[in-house]
Amino acid sequence: MDSLDQVHGQAVSAIWTMRERQQASECSAELIAKLRELAEVAANLQNEAVTRIVEREETPHAKGDDF
């Protein structure tokens, strides 16, 4: 997660320092799209994790994590 924070900070800094406002706007839009994509992937991972937890709890003799 620290790496993700670092890359996000670098992207924001790069956008803020762009001289061309049109380019900054386009890059900001790309950043928004990428963050939405990452949020969707993270939500899917969370849903999968919850599903696995529920399935494991419903199985009386489940052993260990299957993540």
Side-chain angles (χ1 to χ4, degrees), residues 15 18 21-37:
I15 291 168
M18 289 178 175
R21 294 292 97 202
Q22 181 64 31
Q23 183 184 15
S25 177
E26 291 169 3
C27 287
S28 295
E30 289 180 37
L31 180 59
I32 290 167
K34 182 53 72 177
L35 291 172
R36 285 183 178 146
E37 179 184 326

Side-chain angles (χ1 to χ4, degrees), residues 2-17:
D2 290 339
S3 295
L4 185 58
D5 287 338
Q6 184 178 11
V7 169
H8 175 260
Q10 291 170 346
V12 170
S13 288
I15 291 168
W16 274 111
T17 59

Side-chain angles (χ1 to χ4, degrees), residues 51-63:
T51 299
R52 288 180 178 193
I53 290 167
V54 169
E55 288 173 351
R56 188 176 58 226
E57 289 176 355
E58 291 175 350
T59 305
H61 301 312
K63 294 182 180 179

